[in-house]
Amino acid sequence: MCAACSLIVICNVKFMPPSKSINTKLLVRELSDGIKFESSVDDVSVRLSLRGEWNAFRKNGRFYRRCMDGRVISSQGALDFTQNEVQLFHGEIANVCRQMLSKNCGSLSSHTAQILERCTKLPDHFYHQLQDVYFRAYPEGVPVLPPDRYRDLVIPITMGCPNGQCSFCAFYRDKPFSLIEQNRWNEVVSSLEQLFPGGVAGRDGIFLGSANALALSFVQLESVIDRIVHLFGLPARGVSCFGDADRMGVRKVEQWQVLRDKGLVQVVLGLETGADVLRERIGKSRRLEKTRGLAFQLKQAGVAVGLTVLTGFIGEEFFAAHKEATCQFIQSLELTAEDRVYISPWFTDGAKEPESRAYDEAHEIKRVLSGQTAARVTAYSSHNFYYFS
Ligand code: SF4
């Protein structure tokens, strides 16, 4: 869902009220992390960071976004730009800013004029260097986030996955798990500071990367959250992460309460299916007691629960069993309105996208679950995730 994915994020961007309306043809919004200007005469809009780099651009009815890994995405999907073409694209946006400056000289606030000017003066290799910094901060990339956490600042604290055996996993299968060590941590922090000089400004929340932050001990997790909040601040939507109940130590509700008080608001667990036989077939633990126990503990501590569910990952003859067991399991958790169930149509290795059956199955599970749980149930194409700037 390239276009839909982009649109969801675009709709989630929260703009502050317009701070400077110059005339009916040019609208400038000053944001916590930069500016956005729109010119109806030129049919163009640009969103820039405080440092002047562009994040979103619209011209002649086409909309573009810049990803943290250097790719440019249009509403039709990722653009297959060469390095040279990307460079030209950045140059075109700098030209637009140059023209805005010269056309509206005198009527722009000094803040806006400064940011526009910064954009025009970014060195040729600025975006390319930023891409290098991104891969220093995120050696594994940022392959996926829950859909309601797309605007989070991702802080990598681990690499790989302590399970690493799920047959369907496109992101972390066979990648050994490790904690980011202190000497690497300093480099990560310095890279993040270069990528996000405004800290969490403009970001909704913090996400602890990557596959299973709960594999850290309670003491490690507590210390990591403390350090992160000290360095970057605590955004309004707090801290979230992925977790796996089968690959973590024993915890008490009081410990979750401590983490909640430090900012942990949500843990997303990979359920995929509630059918024990099917879980075993895809490389997950057959037994769901630990997942159930963890969900109850989190709820007791006031931490919201997210659950991922897959469709299309296994032959259609198993769908009825998958649907029944999954819905039964989720219903038994007695989730509430702040909890989330994300249903992702999946695809086998080699396919570019899920079969239409996977979408149909996702809609069917969503339909059934919506009448059985108070949690918000969302169909979500996680394979088209982009970590936008
Ligand atoms: S537990 Fe999650 S991240 Fe790890 S291999 Fe399985 S699906 Fe991938």
Side-chain angles (χ1 to χ4, degrees), residues 278 281 314-322 357 361:
L278 298 183
R281 281 183 67 158
I314 203 150
E316 60 186 314
E317 64 273 26
F318 298 105
F319 177 63
H322 168 40
R357 166 176 75 89
E361 290 176 358

Side-chain angles (χ1 to χ4, degrees), residues 122-328:
L122 290 174
D124 278 355
H125 295 295
F126 174 80
Y127 291 101
H128 191 59
Q129 282 167 353
L130 218 51
Q131 196 176 331
D132 291 343
V133 177
Y134 168 85
F135 285 107
R136 278 206 294 282
Y138 305 106
E140 293 182 325
V142 180
V144 69
L145 287 179
D148 54 323
R149 307 297 304 196
Y150 271 22
R151 288 300 299 164
D152 278 9
L153 171 56
V154 178
I155 314 269
I157 59 169
T158 64
M159 303 260 293
C161 171
N163 178 5
Q165 293 170 22
C166 298
S167 56
F168 63 90
C169 184
F171 308 133
Y172 300 101
R173 189 170 54 202
D174 297 329
K175 290 194 178 163
F177 179 78
S178 63
L179 175 65
I180 293 203
E181 299 295 346
Q182 186 59 41
N183 54 349
R184 262 285 290 142
W185 173 249
N186 294 339
E187 187 189 12
V188 166
V189 169
S190 130
S191 302
L192 292 173
E193 285 170 343
Q194 290 174 62
L195 290 171
F196 305 97
V200 291
R203 297 271 155 181
D204 289 344
I206 283 177
F207 199 88
L208 306 178
S210 292
N212 178 8
L214 302 192
L216 270 63
S217 70
F218 165 72
V219 173
Q220 285 172 321
L221 202 47
E222 184 185 25
S223 145
V224 158
I225 294 177
D226 279 344
R227 275 192 284 165
I228 287 171
V229 171
H230 176 71
L231 282 167
F232 295 98
L234 184 61
R237 297 189 64 232
V239 178
S240 175
C241 64
F242 289 121
D244 180 349
D246 295 302
R247 307 279 170 167
M248 59 178 279
V250 176
R251 304 273 161 82
K252 297 181 182 149
V253 173
E254 297 75 44
Q255 291 176 319
W256 293 119
Q257 283 166 338
V258 170
L259 298 178
R260 180 208 58 200
D261 292 345
K262 290 181 182 290
L264 183 69
V265 296
Q266 180 199 41
V267 174
V268 179
L269 308 173
L271 174 65
E272 322 314 354
T273 174
D276 51 6
V277 177
L278 298 183
R279 275 178 62 88
E280 192 171 45
R281 281 183 67 158
I282 59 173
K284 300 191 90 82
S285 163
R286 186 185 174 106
R287 299 165 65 87
L288 275 165
E289 286 79 2
K290 286 186 177 172
T291 302
R292 188 192 309 279
L294 176 58
F296 279 130
Q297 276 197 340
L298 291 167
K299 294 293 297 166
Q300 268 182 283
V303 177
V305 171
L307 293 169
T308 59
V309 170
L310 295 180
T311 57
F313 64 102
I314 203 150
E316 60 186 314
E317 64 273 26
F318 298 105
F319 177 63
H322 168 40
K323 179 176 83 170
E324 188 183 348
T326 303
C327 292
Q328 261 179 21

Side-chain angles (χ1 to χ4, degrees), residues 8-206:
I8 288 165
V9 176
I10 293 157
C11 294
N12 279 345
V13 172
K14 294 184 182 68
F15 293 119
M16 289 157 61
S19 54
K20 180 99 176 162
S21 183
I22 295 161
N23 53 46
T24 54
K25 295 165 190 159
L26 183 68
L27 182 67
V28 180
R29 297 166 192 256
E30 293 186 354
L31 314 165
S32 60
D33 61 339
I35 57 165
K36 182 184 177 194
F37 69 81
E38 301 178 62
S39 164
S40 54
V41 170
D42 300 297
D43 188 21
V44 73
S45 74
V46 184
R47 183 174 166 158
L48 301 172
S49 74
L50 293 171
R51 193 165 49 180
E53 71 238 45
W54 75 274
N55 298 323
F57 177 58
R58 180 182 55 76
K59 190 174 181 192
N60 299 333
R62 286 199 78 179
F63 191 82
Y64 305 89
R65 299 207 59 178
R66 185 171 61 81
C67 298
M68 294 302 300
D69 62 7
R71 284 179 299 168
V72 176
I73 305 294
S74 80
S75 38
Q76 275 77 43
L79 297 175
D80 197 14
F81 278 158
T82 63
Q83 198 61 47
N84 200 30
E85 286 167 336
V86 176
Q87 196 69 31
L88 289 171
F89 194 76
H90 297 322
E92 182 184 344
I93 296 171
N95 265 336
V96 166
C97 294
R98 205 166 284 116
Q99 283 167 21
M100 287 299 130
L101 266 173
S102 69
K103 277 187 190 175
N104 301 286
C105 181
S107 54
L108 298 168
S109 75
S110 60
H111 178 69
T112 296
Q114 267 172 16
I115 292 177
L116 285 169
E117 200 165 326
R118 280 179 203 147
C119 178
T120 67
K121 290 187 174 164
L122 290 174
D124 278 355
H125 295 295
F126 174 80
Y127 291 101
H128 191 59
Q129 282 167 353
L130 218 51
Q131 196 176 331
D132 291 343
V133 177
Y134 168 85
F135 285 107
R136 278 206 294 282
Y138 305 106
E140 293 182 325
V142 180
V144 69
L145 287 179
D148 54 323
R149 307 297 304 196
Y150 271 22
R151 288 300 299 164
D152 278 9
L153 171 56
V154 178
I155 314 269
I157 59 169
T158 64
M159 303 260 293
C161 171
N163 178 5
Q165 293 170 22
C166 298
S167 56
F168 63 90
C169 184
F171 308 133
Y172 300 101
R173 189 170 54 202
D174 297 329
K175 290 194 178 163
F177 179 78
S178 63
L179 175 65
I180 293 203
E181 299 295 346
Q182 186 59 41
N183 54 349
R184 262 285 290 142
W185 173 249
N186 294 339
E187 187 189 12
V188 166
V189 169
S190 130
S191 302
L192 292 173
E193 285 170 343
Q194 290 174 62
L195 290 171
F196 305 97
V200 291
R203 297 271 155 181
D204 289 344
I206 283 177

